[in-house]
Amino acid sequence: MRCGTANLVTSPASVSSACLTRNAASACNRIGSGAGHRQHLPAAQLSTRVQTSPIRHGGLLNASATDTDLAAVSEVQEQLQLDLNGDTGFEDFKAAAQTGNVVPIHARIFSDHLTPVLAYRCLVRRDDRSAPSFLFEAVNNGTQQGRYSYVGAQPSIEIIARGNDVRIEDRERGTTSHTTSEDPMSIPADMSAGWQVADDEGLPKVFTGGWVGYSGYDTVRYVYSGKLPFSHAPSDDRQLPDMHMALYNTVIVFDQATKLAYVITWVHLDRHSSLEEAYQHGQRQLQITSRKIENEHSPNLTNGKVTLSLSKRPHPPTNSNMTKKQYLAAVDQTKEHIQAGDVFQLVLSQRFQRHTRADPFEIYRALRVVNPSPYMVYLQAEGSILVASSPEILCRLDHDRIVTNRPLAGTRRRGKTPKEDLALEQELLADEKECSEHVMLVDLGRNDVGKVAQMGSVNVETFMEVERYSHVMHISSTVKGKLLPELNAWDVMRAALPAGTVSGAPKVRAMQIIDELEMNKRGPYGGGMGYVAYNGNMDVALALRTMVIPNPPPPLHDSTSPTNGSSNQGRKEWTVHLQAGAGLVADSVPESEYEETVNKAAALGRAIDLAEQAFVDC
């Protein structure tokens, strides 16, 4: 399927944007593509070429831009100014600028020809796997597609932290700065503090732009630097960032109910010399993104035929950073700590790995089929690509400033019939080990919410309900509280990381023991991935059922050799890390806990099996 031409739903912003593109056609047709080459562009492709002068690519001056090219861009800008004089959308923009210094502009298009997966591929080329970008989708209760999906690429700012060393990439200004911080999470919080966000009643009350990325398991060391210093962390064999957050001013929001997509650009007024310049910049960015998803020459998505049995038990992974003997010994050591009263419960994990020539985005497409979940994530970050189907909220903050924490613990497979499904639910709720573990996690959730909530507002809204997913069911509870007026989303994230689901109780002592027993630093696994929106809302998933794919892949073998005929020519071999843990308590059986981690990793690896069958071995 190609990115077909979309139809704009008329609104002041979208009508104006269309007019700007049409009237700039004659100038845009003269903009070159590539050094020493020029081509005549059809009108449908114009605004992918419209950029501010000087012409920039990736924040660097494009040396191939000629005087004629620059003159053409200047003519485009003159035409944009002429259009501005009769643009009713500019009046709305000026009015919005009276209420805030960060102002959204948006266009609505019919999305019945377009999917979030296709839109992502339109924005990010297949071979551009290092480009920061994201695709967020959702499936609720295993079968119900979430109403909204989100796509973003080309962030304006990136904040990358390794320990206390922080690098800040300002892609709009083309600058890089380095600093140190005791708490790098305070950097995006401080940047956001001066923003006054203008409202747009035409936008849905969901994520429409802001910070997107991940905070790894080890970011808790910023909060407990004395008790959990980075120097005590296990060996760091991957050197991945502990935190990678990127500011996305331009995003696409899909509304599956109305079959509309919103293309949204946020304009920072303080980065422009006038309102007119700010508005023109916003309109250009809006049109560039809109045209990318309308361009009939965008690449096809690879077709995939599913012949793999999705119900068949997957093969267990065998390549781990711990031998079975080491894991069983670590379980015994944990039980000694429990008997000594150091902890009540601890989550001990091991990291499996697989090699595959399936592309990470193909693995994500397969994961959507194998394990649809409330948090479907494809996230390209520095040093890695995250492919996830997490069932669990780490923390959420809504427009009413309500903090939500949802512990999820206790698992059974789904039954083959409704009768068997009900029997397995009753068995799960009668399991004393599963229930006691869940109750401990609810207590941890109450503590985490209580750190940032108003006195007396913390409430266990639901307790020990069974939630069903495509292949399993879990025991779930919901803890809520009203955020203190002086705190924000970043404070909520600090309080929540990491969830008790991946650490233990008491949390800090459990993490100290994990440092002693596990072989390698966890990285993104066990942390949080999601967004902090311009309007202050936040939704961050726990990084469970998350594949971490180092990027670029390590040169283990000839990474471009074919495996099964000419169709695989040029395919890279990727290393996929699958990390899984088991919650250990006093009466844990080491063999059973080991098998639990193997089964969890095998279930995630089924997506790799499907991707290989559908896209590699076809």
Side-chain angles (χ1 to χ4, degrees), residues 53 130 267 501 525 577:
S53 179
S130 62
V267 182
T501 313
Y525 169 79
H577 291 154

Side-chain angles (χ1 to χ4, degrees), residues 237-238 319-321 350-353 520 577-579:
D237 61 333
R238 296 178 294 186
N319 191 351
S320 172
N321 65 345
Q350 59 177 321
R351 191 183 78 202
F352 299 91
Q353 71 176 28
N520 298 107
H577 291 154
L578 313 164
Q579 192 148 351

Side-chain angles (χ1 to χ4, degrees), residues 143-161:
T143 57
Q144 301 169 9
Q145 185 176 20
R147 178 169 179 178
Y148 294 101
S149 300
Y150 311 96
V151 181
Q154 296 183 325
S156 61
I157 296 174
E158 290 179 81
I159 300 174
I160 301 110

